[in-house]
C-alpha cells in the first residue's frame, strides 16, 4: 500500500484553532442552539476523514489564506494520524449531537468539552491527542502481527 501524500503540519494545527473556536461557541450557545455549529463542525470532521486532512474545508482556508504568508515547512508529516484524529473528533461531535437532540444536555456538554480540550491542546501546544492514539494503536498492531516465537520442546 502506497504511503499517502505528506501534509504541512501547520495545517492541522490551524484547523484545530478553528475547531476550538467553533466548539467554544457551541458550548456557549448550549442546547439546542449549539447543535447548529456542532453539526457544521461534524461535517468538517467528516470531510477530514473522507478526504484526508489536507483536503478538508479548514485545509482549504489554510492553503489559500495562511500558507502563502509562511515560509515552507521544515518537514512534512504523514496525514494518517491527523485523519484518525478527525475521526475521533467526529465521534465526539456525533455523541454531542445525539445527546443534545435527545435532551441529554450533560452528554452534549461533556462530548463537546472533550473535543474542545483536544482541539485546544493541538492548537496551543501542538499536542494532537488523536495522533498520539493512532501511533499507539500502530505500535500495538505491529506487536500483534510481528514474528511469533514458539517454544521448542527440550530446548
Amino acid at each position: 500500500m502506497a504511503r499517502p501524500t505528506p501534509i504541512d503540519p501547520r495545517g492541522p494545527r490551524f484547523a484545530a484553532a478553528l475547531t476550538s473556536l467553533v466548539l467554544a461557541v457551541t458550548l456557549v450557545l448550549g442546547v439546542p442552539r449549539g447543535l447548529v455549529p456542532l453539526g457544521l463542525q461534524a461535517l468538517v470532521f467528516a470531510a477530514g476523514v473522507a478526504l484526508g486532512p489536507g483536503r478538508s474545508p479548514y485545509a482549504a482556508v489554510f492553503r489559500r489564506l495562511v500558507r502563502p504568508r509562511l515560509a515552507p515547512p521544515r518537514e512534512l508529516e504523514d496525514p494518517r494520524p491527523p485523519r484518525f484524529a478527525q475521526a475521533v473528533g467526529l465521534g465526539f461531535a456525533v455523541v454531542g449531537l445525539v445527546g443534545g437532540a435527545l435532551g441529554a444536555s450533560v452528554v452534549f456538554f461533556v462530548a463537546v468539552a472533550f473535543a474542545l480540550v483536544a482541539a485546544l491542546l493541538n492548537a496551543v501546544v501542538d499536542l494532537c491527542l488523536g495522533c498520539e492514539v493512532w501511533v499507539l494503536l500502530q505500535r500495538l498492531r505491529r506487536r500483534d502481527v510481528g514474528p511469533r516465537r514458539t517454544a521448542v520442546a527440550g530446548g
Side-chain angles (χ1 to χ4, degrees):
M1 181 179 206
R3 290 187 81 89
T5 304
I7 59 172
D8 184 331
R10 299 168 297 185
R13 194 167 181 188
F14 173 79
L18 292 180
T19 298
S20 297
L21 179 63
V22 171
L23 294 175
V25 167
T26 298
L27 283 178
V28 169
L29 292 175
V31 178
R33 291 180 291 154
L35 293 174
V36 172
L38 184 57
L40 294 173
Q41 183 59 51
L43 291 174
V44 171
F45 282 142
V49 173
L51 304 173
R55 293 190 185 101
S56 73
Y58 293 164
V61 173
F62 174 77
R63 258 192 329 276
R64 189 170 299 255
L65 301 178
V66 178
R67 187 161 184 197
R69 292 170 170 76
L70 302 175
R74 289 186 186 152
E75 58 188 38
L76 299 175
E77 76 176 359
D78 184 341
R80 293 174 294 180
R83 186 179 222 159
F84 179 82
Q86 292 286 296
V88 173
L90 177 59
F92 278 106
V94 168
V95 168
L97 285 167
V98 170
L102 296 176
S105 295
V106 171
V107 173
F108 169 86
F109 283 110
V110 169
V112 174
F114 279 168
L116 175 58
V117 167
L120 280 171
L121 282 171
N122 193 352
V124 175
V125 297
D126 200 20
L127 173 62
C128 175
L129 293 177
C131 300
E132 295 299 325
V133 170
W134 185 86
V135 169
L136 177 65
L137 290 173
Q138 295 309 303
R139 285 184 190 143
L140 292 173
R141 195 177 115 227
R142 273 187 237 122
R143 274 193 213 149
D144 279 347
V145 297
R148 302 234 187 255
R149 294 183 181 196
T150 57
V152 177

